[in-house]
Amino acid sequence: MRRSNAVRSTYRLQFHRGFTFEAALGLATYLRQLGVSHVYSSPILAARAGSLHGYDVISYDEINPELGGADDFRAMAEAFRREGIGIILDIVPNHVAVGGDDNAMWLDLLKHGRGSRYATWFDVDFDERDPVLAGRIHVPFLGEPFNDALGQGKLTLIEDPARQGYALRYGEHLLPLRVEDDGEIQLAGQAAYREPDRLRALIERQHYHLDYWRNASDRLNWRRFFEITQLAGIRIEEPNAFEAAHHLAFAFYEEGLIDGLRIDHVDGLADPASYCAKLRARLDGLSPKRPGWAMPGPAWLIVEKILAPGESLPAGWGVDGTTGYDFMDQVDAVLHDGGSEPILATFWSELSGRPAAFVDEEQSARREVLEHGFEGQLEYVVDRLVALAVKAGRDVDIPRGAMRRATAALVCNMHSYRTYLTGAGGIEEPGPFFQAALETARAHPQAEHLALDFISAAMIGSEPGLPADLRSSAVRRFNQLTSPLAARSVEDTAFYRYGRLLSRNDVGFDAARLSLPVAEFHELMRERAAVQPRSMLALATHDHKRGADVRARLAVISEDAPRWRETVEGWFAQNEAIRPDELDRGDEYQFYQMLVGSWPLDGSALSGKFADRLSAWWVKALREAKLKTGWVSPNESYEQAAEQFLRAALDPSPSAAFLQSVEHYVGTIAPAAALGGIVQLILQCTVPGVPDTYQGTEFWDLSMVDPDNRRPVDFTIRQQALASGAEECELRRNWHDGRIKQQVLHRLLQARRERPDLFVGATYRPLSVTGVRQDDVVAFLRETQDTALLVVAPLRCAAMVTAELTLSAAWWQDTRIELPTIGAEWTPIIGAAVSGDALAPGGPSGDFPCRVAIAQR
């Protein structure tokens, strides 16, 4: 079976040793029947043993044997091909897993230092000014200070046959020794090095400096992924590193086994634009060599990039789009009622004592995380800027302290992940977010104006006489600081501190904004159609903090904020007797939100499994917030207090009234939440772009943050549901089981299969809506020369959604949607039939309130 000319829709599969290529092979028929065109595969290169995600790559030369290896991958790809399904492969060019004893590249670097063939692959600054390092690699993997580890005998000398020499063993970590030391060790014998002073002398001669893990943020002289010392940055701009990291992906593309790539964390790279252009050129060069049955080129290429509000993916990158976090934010925001923002923000601030506005929470988090997590990386940037100042003769005017304060002010006010500067030469345009950060920093009463002006001139290239290599290094280090700082301070700190409404705190979201007007949503979709019609559209990912249907349920709260406030105040009062004194009210409030958002629809809320899942979320949320506890120094007493409260709150014995109240509240909003979940699914499948279904989310997605969102999926029940052929009325009656959502997805994906040009290449035209609900309806047309797609979906209608997901005619009142003259009948895909030159949706009460229809001219 020949595949189509383009990627129509994707289905994300998370491979690990519990879900292998062989297991996925059996899903080929189901995915074809569902309507999927491509499987979107998690990374498949050899990864750390037991990895549940594959982003901790340890070798570029092998397909992960835990997944089944290359043979099983080919067998899976062939099974998919027979069903007309291709594969999009997730790759990780930014980093590899280090430490341990499983990455030969890392171990070679430790053994040979600057002389390693991989020395230029890893992003190591051998010339870092720290005298303790003195040109060596910082290795902060000790669980205690070095002297303690040495005195306790935790460092032992062993033979290292794989590298034909010797190594140190510290727990799971292997630390190869220099070749130059082999002779001495052989002469003295390994037993001689049980003597601490002799072992110390040997260790101090190595190409690395062993250190306590807590010193990493201050001393580390190589780039890591965020604050994760077990993931080391790779300089993918090095030609040999580029070829090594991609050679299997290129081979698979040439063979026709894959049809495109997803690039993980593109903002971590030194020059994303050049990388993407190089990758595109290589894939284009391979396209003519692909088999005749393979999808014709160009390859589908998307990048994982967080876009700031108002930021667009540069057209010059040559990619098809992002992984869809931006759409996920937009479609979530349009479900919310912006009128409730003052009530919700004030309530949050009163309960927690924290800022009502997200911007204040974000700014304090940025400064804290910079100081405690990225001190060393900040110093690297300052080092280079000071060196540039020396070259420009400005070091007398701008002392290091001023340069440091100015740099910190700039990076803390950068609201995009990075600038678009490369330092390649000439004057460059940094993008609006750098200029905005500069203006904000300059407006501070104690701003370092001279330093800020110099940094700006040096970064954009207007300061004359600066060495090109030094300026390029400064630009690279600046960008590689702002990116992880934004991720760790905003998404992994402020999002866990700010609890106005948790549905607006997710990966890539604009948490400062509660809602998005329909008119603005339309404008964003028209822009998609014009600029990136093949970008991915996501509702759920392996990284989301709350499942799509958790967010949809919490969005309903915004429709009646006063009632929510009254309800929550009642819960605080009911739980007075079980609340530990030390439990923070803000933390308790976030717990209530997640309890409501993830409350199961199958009656299992009081099972131990649900409590365990909620507990795991809460511990992670508390630690990420870094207010009462944290990953570096867990506050076990506070975590135990939170756990005690959670278990008591979910125990019917002391909390029967509370649980009945929660169940009642969830029951009143659940139908509207389900309708909201279907609305966002319809929009995902009909606006310009390529919809992705994260594994299992064709049923209701009430998942929490990872690892909860990576739990095993029951595909058997999903296959049975799709094959059942149940009538829509039955599915709506039993909507709690999720089959209605699967059926909606199935119908829309089938339509995309039959008319792909209508969904990917067609124009996007908002329709005129009049009447009392004109601001609460999304209505638009997708058009080609001979076909039109009509989409109508109600928003913010919780008060009148029935138990069978219908919508009372009283809600619509005089609402009217003007339809264009098509000259053909509309064929319904979702909802009732459409006819005439206008649609008055307030029809019979048994109608499904959404409309999707196609007309063939």
Side-chain angles (χ1 to χ4, degrees), residues 539-609:
L539 289 180
T541 78
H542 62 283
D543 277 335
H544 69 233
K545 301 185 188 305
R546 273 158 285 278
D549 298 302
V550 174
R551 298 194 306 271
R553 190 182 290 175
L554 292 177
V556 177
I557 290 172
S558 70
E559 298 187 49
D560 193 352
R563 180 193 172 213
W564 167 251
R565 175 169 184 153
E566 181 182 354
T567 300
V568 171
E569 287 173 340
W571 293 343
F572 271 97
Q574 285 177 317
N575 290 331
E576 187 70 35
I578 64 169
R579 180 183 303 110
D581 292 340
E582 61 267 45
L583 185 64
D584 184 85
R585 289 172 64 82
D587 292 338
E588 184 176 343
Y589 181 53
Q590 292 197 36
F591 165 75
Y592 291 144
Q593 290 188 54
M594 281 302 292
L595 183 62
V596 167
S598 59
W599 187 271
L601 296 170
D602 59 3
S604 64
L606 302 186
S607 71
K609 288 184 178 179

Side-chain angles (χ1 to χ4, degrees), residues 132-400:
V132 172
L133 299 182
R136 296 180 295 166
I137 303 155
H138 190 222
V139 180
F141 292 119
L142 300 181
E144 57 281 304
F146 173 75
N147 287 333
D148 293 348
L150 187 67
Q152 294 167 16
K154 293 186 177 182
L155 292 159
T156 56
L157 179 63
I158 64 170
E159 291 186 13
D160 183 15
R163 276 152 290 279
Q164 300 179 342
Y166 297 90
L168 297 171
R169 170 63 74 177
Y170 175 82
E172 74 270 25
H173 300 291
L174 188 70
L175 305 156
L177 300 179
R178 302 182 312 161
V179 174
E180 298 91 321
D181 294 312
D182 288 354
E184 177 189 305
I185 295 171
Q186 291 167 359
L187 185 63
Q190 290 177 238
Y193 293 91
R194 293 172 186 160
E195 199 279 310
D197 288 342
R198 189 161 194 168
L199 184 57
R200 178 197 299 274
L202 177 66
I203 293 172
E204 290 178 348
R205 293 198 298 270
Q206 301 311 306
H207 293 297
Y208 47 83
H209 172 71
L210 278 178
D211 203 356
Y212 184 28
W213 70 271
R214 295 197 66 160
N215 293 334
S217 295
D218 293 317
R219 183 167 285 156
L220 201 66
N221 66 337
W222 43 271
R223 182 170 59 87
R224 57 183 172 172
F225 176 70
F226 298 170
E227 296 169 283
I228 305 173
T229 310
Q230 289 76 24
L231 297 175
I234 292 291
R235 300 185 67 228
I236 207 67
E237 64 272 20
E238 283 291 309
N240 290 338
F242 179 90
E243 293 302 324
H246 298 87
H247 76 98
L248 284 176
F250 289 154
F252 288 164
Y253 182 68
E254 184 176 348
E255 290 180 50
L257 299 179
I258 64 172
D259 293 333
L261 298 171
R262 179 260 198 194
I263 313 306
D264 182 61
H265 190 48
V266 73
D267 277 327
L269 308 183
D271 185 355
S274 295
Y275 167 81
C276 291
K278 184 176 182 178
L279 190 60
R280 172 62 76 190
R282 287 297 302 277
L283 292 169
D284 286 350
L286 293 172
S287 287
K289 302 177 182 179
R290 283 159 61 81
W293 50 259
M295 184 189 87
W300 195 52
L301 195 57
I302 56 170
V303 294
E304 184 198 27
K305 178 170 175 59
I306 306 295
L307 294 172
E311 183 181 16
S312 299
L313 192 65
W317 282 19
V319 300
D320 290 292
T322 72
T323 50
Y325 300 145
D326 42 341
F327 171 77
M328 195 162 84
D329 172 42
Q330 293 157 2
V331 76
D332 179 82
V334 82
L335 296 181
H336 287 71
D337 185 342
S340 67
E341 200 280 334
I343 298 173
L344 292 172
T346 300
F347 187 39
W348 161 249
S349 186
E350 289 174 354
L351 278 174
S352 66
R354 301 199 65 80
F358 179 74
V359 64
D360 298 324
E361 198 71 84
E362 176 186 355
Q363 190 58 219
S364 64
R366 282 179 176 273
R367 291 201 168 271
E368 286 179 35
V369 172
L370 178 65
E371 179 180 355
H372 294 287
F374 296 96
E375 181 71 18
Q377 284 184 251
L378 174 63
E379 293 299 333
Y380 291 158
V381 177
V382 175
D383 285 345
R384 285 154 179 77
L385 291 171
V386 168
L388 286 171
V390 171
K391 294 294 184 181
R394 301 293 305 281
D395 52 313
V396 174
D397 301 326
I398 309 172
R400 182 182 180 86

Side-chain angles (χ1 to χ4, degrees), residues 755-784:
R755 294 306 307 258
D757 57 326
L758 184 57
F759 290 86
V760 175
T763 59
Y764 180 97
R765 176 153 61 109
L767 295 178
S768 173
V769 182
T770 59
V772 70
R773 298 298 181 187
Q774 62 181 344
D775 295 327
D776 298 318
V777 177
V778 176
F780 60 88
L781 213 64
R782 306 291 309 282
E783 291 179 286
T784 64

Side-chain angles (χ1 to χ4, degrees), residues 389-694:
V390 171
K391 294 294 184 181
R394 301 293 305 281
D395 52 313
V396 174
D397 301 326
I398 309 172
R400 182 182 180 86
M403 192 74 81
R404 187 186 186 284
R405 290 188 292 275
T407 304
L410 266 178
V411 299
C412 284
N413 284 290
M414 274 286 294
H415 293 290
S416 63
Y417 261 48
R418 63 182 295 143
T419 74
Y420 291 102
L421 299 166
T422 65
I427 297 178
E428 300 179 271
E429 172 55 51
F433 296 94
F434 179 82
Q435 295 295 346
L438 184 66
E439 292 171 9
T440 303
R442 286 179 58 85
H444 193 276
Q446 294 179 304
E448 299 287 354
H449 290 282
L450 287 178
L452 288 167
D453 291 345
F454 176 78
I455 293 170
S456 175
M459 291 282 288
I460 68 175
S462 62
E463 181 72 27
L466 298 181
D469 58 341
L470 187 57
R471 175 177 168 258
S472 176
S473 177
V475 169
R476 183 178 75 250
R477 291 297 186 185
F478 185 92
N479 285 328
Q480 290 177 329
L481 170 59
T482 57
S483 172
L485 177 62
R488 291 296 292 143
S489 61
V490 180
E491 293 176 20
D492 292 338
T493 302
F495 277 10
Y496 287 97
R497 293 181 176 183
Y498 188 65
R500 175 193 58 194
L501 195 58
L502 294 181
S503 47
R504 295 298 301 138
N505 301 1
D506 220 307
V507 182
F509 279 29
D510 180 7
R513 186 171 198 176
L514 183 67
S515 66
L516 185 70
V518 171
E520 191 170 341
F521 178 82
H522 281 317
E523 191 56 39
L524 290 168
M525 297 308 109
R526 294 177 72 170
E527 183 180 332
R528 282 184 180 279
V531 179
Q532 287 180 339
R534 284 160 50 87
S535 187
M536 180 176 276
L537 306 171
L539 289 180
T541 78
H542 62 283
D543 277 335
H544 69 233
K545 301 185 188 305
R546 273 158 285 278
D549 298 302
V550 174
R551 298 194 306 271
R553 190 182 290 175
L554 292 177
V556 177
I557 290 172
S558 70
E559 298 187 49
D560 193 352
R563 180 193 172 213
W564 167 251
R565 175 169 184 153
E566 181 182 354
T567 300
V568 171
E569 287 173 340
W571 293 343
F572 271 97
Q574 285 177 317
N575 290 331
E576 187 70 35
I578 64 169
R579 180 183 303 110
D581 292 340
E582 61 267 45
L583 185 64
D584 184 85
R585 289 172 64 82
D587 292 338
E588 184 176 343
Y589 181 53
Q590 292 197 36
F591 165 75
Y592 291 144
Q593 290 188 54
M594 281 302 292
L595 183 62
V596 167
S598 59
W599 187 271
L601 296 170
D602 59 3
S604 64
L606 302 186
S607 71
K609 288 184 178 179
F610 178 60
D612 292 344
R613 290 175 53 215
L614 203 56
S615 174
W617 160 78
W618 208 7
V619 170
K620 182 168 185 174
L622 293 172
R623 290 185 179 181
E624 293 285 21
K626 308 172 190 65
L627 294 172
K628 300 291 185 179
T629 184
W631 297 108
V632 175
S633 298
N635 183 340
E636 294 182 3
S637 175
Y638 188 78
E639 292 177 6
Q640 288 170 2
E643 175 73 5
Q644 172 189 330
F645 175 78
L646 181 150
R647 298 292 173 176
L650 293 177
D651 183 349
S653 179
S655 303
F658 166 68
L659 291 170
Q660 289 170 4
S661 177
V662 172
E663 186 171 32
H664 174 73
Y665 182 83
V666 172
T668 61
I669 68 171
L675 180 59
I678 291 175
V679 165
Q680 64 182 354
L681 176 64
I682 289 172
L683 295 177
Q684 181 200 26
C685 291
T686 56
V687 302
V690 177
D692 174 59
T693 303
Y694 181 69

